């Protein structure tokens, strides 16, 4: 009896972009919480970086 060949899908750049989107928000919150800048400012900066990643994932590296 032979086992069917199952291979794991290879991650793409788009997968990396999707995985990286929450990181700027978490980083901005952590910087705001641990430093003297307001937490909302850290979240806003992190949100802008996340928005750039969303734009890149939609318009530069569209899913295939």
């Amino acid at each position: 009896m032979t086992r069917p060949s199952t291979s794991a899908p290879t991650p793409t750049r788009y997968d990396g972009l999707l995985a990286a989107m929450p990181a700027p928000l978490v980083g901005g919150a952590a910087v705001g919480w641990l430093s003297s800048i307001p937490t909302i400012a850290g979240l806003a900066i992190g949100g802008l970086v996340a928005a750039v990643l969303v734009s890149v994932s939609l318009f530069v590296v569209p899913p295939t």
Side-chain angles (χ1 to χ4, degrees), residues 24-57:
L25 291 173
V26 172
V31 167
W33 186 49
L34 296 172
S35 70
S36 62
I37 67 168
T39 305
I40 193 73
L43 282 172
I45 293 168
L48 289 174
V49 174
V52 168
L53 289 174
V54 169
S55 298
V56 167
S57 68

Side-chain angles (χ1 to χ4, degrees), residues 14 17-18 21 51-63:
Y14 190 74
L17 281 171
L18 288 175
M21 284 180 199
V52 168
L53 289 174
V54 169
S55 298
V56 167
S57 68
L58 288 175
F59 302 113
V60 178
V61 186

